[in-house]
Structures are given as C-alpha cells and as structure tokens.
Amino acid sequence: GAVVSQHPSWVICKSGTSVKIECRSLDFQATTMFWYRQFPKQSLMLMATSNEGSKATYEQGVEKDKFLINHASLTLSTLTVTSAHPEDSSFYICSARDPTAVSYNEQFFGPGTRLTVL
Amino acid sequence: AQSVSQHNHHVILSEAASLELGCNYSYGGTVNLFWYVQYPGQHLQLLLKYFSGDPLVKGIKGFEAEFIKSKFSFNLRKPSVQWSDTAEYFCAVNAGNNRKLIWGLGTSLAVNP
C-alpha cells in the first residue's frame, strides 16, 4: 500500500515554456502532499505543502507565480513550472501523507521527475 | 528552529566493515524519526522509522537505528556493509504537530568491494 506515482518521469522542454508534473496517490487519499526539489548530490529542499481544496503553502524563497501548485482532488496534486529557464532544471519529487495510517506523519515518496530546460 | 545534522558527509568503507552514520536533531518535544536511502539513479526509499516504543529500530537490508532521547540522536548502523549499500543516506525528522519533514544534508556512502 501507500504508493505514490509521478508523471512524467523525465521531461525536456525549451526555455520559456511551461511544464506540468503530476503526483498521484494510488491507493490512498492524500489531504496533504509535498513538493521537493533536489539538486545533484544534495538533500531535498521543500518547496511547498499542497493542501487539498486550498492554496498551497510555499517555503520562503520559492516563487509562487513560478511554481504553481494545484491540489484539486484527494489523489492528485500538480506542479506547473511556468516560463521555465535552464536554472529550473532539477529533480522534482513529491510525497504524500496518508491521514488514515497509524504512522500518519510518514510521507510516501514518488519516484521523482527529472526536468531539463534547454 | 528545528534542524537536523548529519555529521558524516562522505564515508568510504571496505566491504564487511561496520557502519555508523550520525544524526542529531534539535527539538525538545515528541519526534518521528526516519532514515531514507537513495541508490544511484533511483528514488528515495524508507530504510526505517521510529514513532514510539522500542528505541532500537530494525529496518530493511540489515540496517538498524537507535533513538537516544537524551542525546537527541538517531544514528544508523549496519554491522557489515556490502558494495550494494553504496548510496546517499538521509536522516529526517518530523517534530510535534509540524507536518513538514526536516532533512539532514545527507551522507554519501561508498563501499569498496
């Protein structure tokens, strides 16, 4: 149980275009999802907390208009990188909490999406 | 502010050597503790977790960790490492009602055959 998927697993786009990444909880309903960014050989950086039916909570320094997060249903959150630039190239990872689980604070991670902006 | 520190940034061991990776956190209340592993080119996997009960936690692949509340530590151990244990290891803490995970910077482990 507690499987999280991401789509696409990798994407290459041109500078100036927008890219949407999907995060799905496959076998549970996730009221809260998290979006992280990971640079090579570095730790995860939390970008935002996505709450179903409400606005996402962004971490300090993360541009809300640049990284649009939508959590329209209990099993889907999307991250849209708008007007992408080469510096946005990174590994984006989502995670989700299962509020019904005994270990409800545990986060289950998706496999990540590799974004390359040319 | 809550923080997690991993003392060893890069560790190189020979096969069959014992491993201990340090993890300390700063928070005085109830914590949930996690160790994740990321093998080269792969996504994060949960090694083990501590929520309550026995402070010695056993995880997958022969790993274990001990929660020592008085030392604010949750060190990861394995008695005999294998080449396949080469990976990045991350300690993470969820403190109190904060739903966010606070991450350590990670430790890169290289095991020589």
Side-chain angles (χ1 to χ4, degrees):
Chain A
V3 178
V4 177
S5 70
Q6 279 184 244
H7 178 79
S9 55
W10 59 270
V11 58
I12 301 173
C13 69
K14 293 182 179 180
S15 185
T17 60
S18 294
V19 174
K20 180 184 285 188
I21 302 170
E22 293 184 348
C23 177
R24 293 183 185 272
S25 56
L26 298 185
D27 51 1
F28 65 100
Q29 294 184 325
T31 52
T32 305
M33 291 183 172
F34 302 85
W35 285 97
Y36 295 88
R37 186 172 178 177
Q38 186 182 31
F39 292 101
K41 302 284 187 181
Q42 294 189 29
S43 187
L44 279 72
M45 183 192 79
L46 179 65
M47 299 174 66
T49 302
S50 171
N51 303 295
E52 188 269 336
S54 64
K55 291 182 179 180
T57 303
Y58 289 82
E59 295 300 300
Q60 193 172 8
V62 178
E63 299 175 59
K64 301 178 183 181
D65 297 331
K66 174 77 171 172
F67 300 99
L68 299 179
I69 292 173
N70 184 280
H71 193 156
S73 78
L74 287 171
T75 59
L76 173 65
S77 176
T78 60
L79 168 68
T80 302
V81 183
T82 62
S83 186
H85 288 93
E87 58 266 29
D88 299 323
S89 298
S90 190
F91 194 52
Y92 293 88
I93 305 171
C94 76
S95 69
R97 290 174 60 243
D98 180 355
T100 66
V102 172
S103 57
Y104 57 87
N105 276 330
E106 181 178 352
Q107 293 181 25
F108 300 95
F109 285 83
T113 297
R114 174 77 58 194
L115 170 64
T116 301
V117 184
L118 302 177
Chain B
Q2 300 158 7
S3 65
V4 176
S5 62
Q6 291 183 239
H7 315 296
N8 320 99
H9 299 296
H10 300 281
V11 174
I12 302 174
L13 295 173
S14 298
E15 275 195 320
S18 63
L19 170 72
E20 180 161 2
L21 302 182
C23 174
N24 285 86
Y25 63 92
S26 63
Y27 183 73
T30 303
V31 291
N32 304 139
L33 301 156
F34 306 85
W35 275 98
Y36 286 90
V37 62
Q38 189 173 32
Y39 297 103
Q42 297 189 28
H43 64 282
L44 282 166
Q45 298 177 42
L46 180 67
L47 267 181
L48 46 79
K49 62 188 177 187
Y50 172 81
F51 277 69
S52 63
D54 189 344
L56 183 61
V57 180
K58 300 216 181 277
I60 61 172
K61 304 187 180 187
F63 286 91
E64 65 178 31
E66 185 175 12
F67 170 49
I68 303 179
K69 189 174 182 179
S70 61
K71 294 185 178 181
F72 300 91
S73 69
F74 190 55
N75 292 355
L76 180 71
R77 299 194 293 251
K78 185 170 183 177
S80 177
V81 295
Q82 300 172 317
W83 175 77
S84 57
D85 293 323
T86 295
E88 294 279 334
Y89 292 81
F90 296 97
C91 179
V93 176
N94 181 290
N97 293 323
N98 190 331
R99 297 174 298 172
K100 298 189 290 187
L101 278 176
I102 311 299
W103 293 83
L105 292 179
T107 297
S108 176
L109 172 65
V111 180
N112 295 322

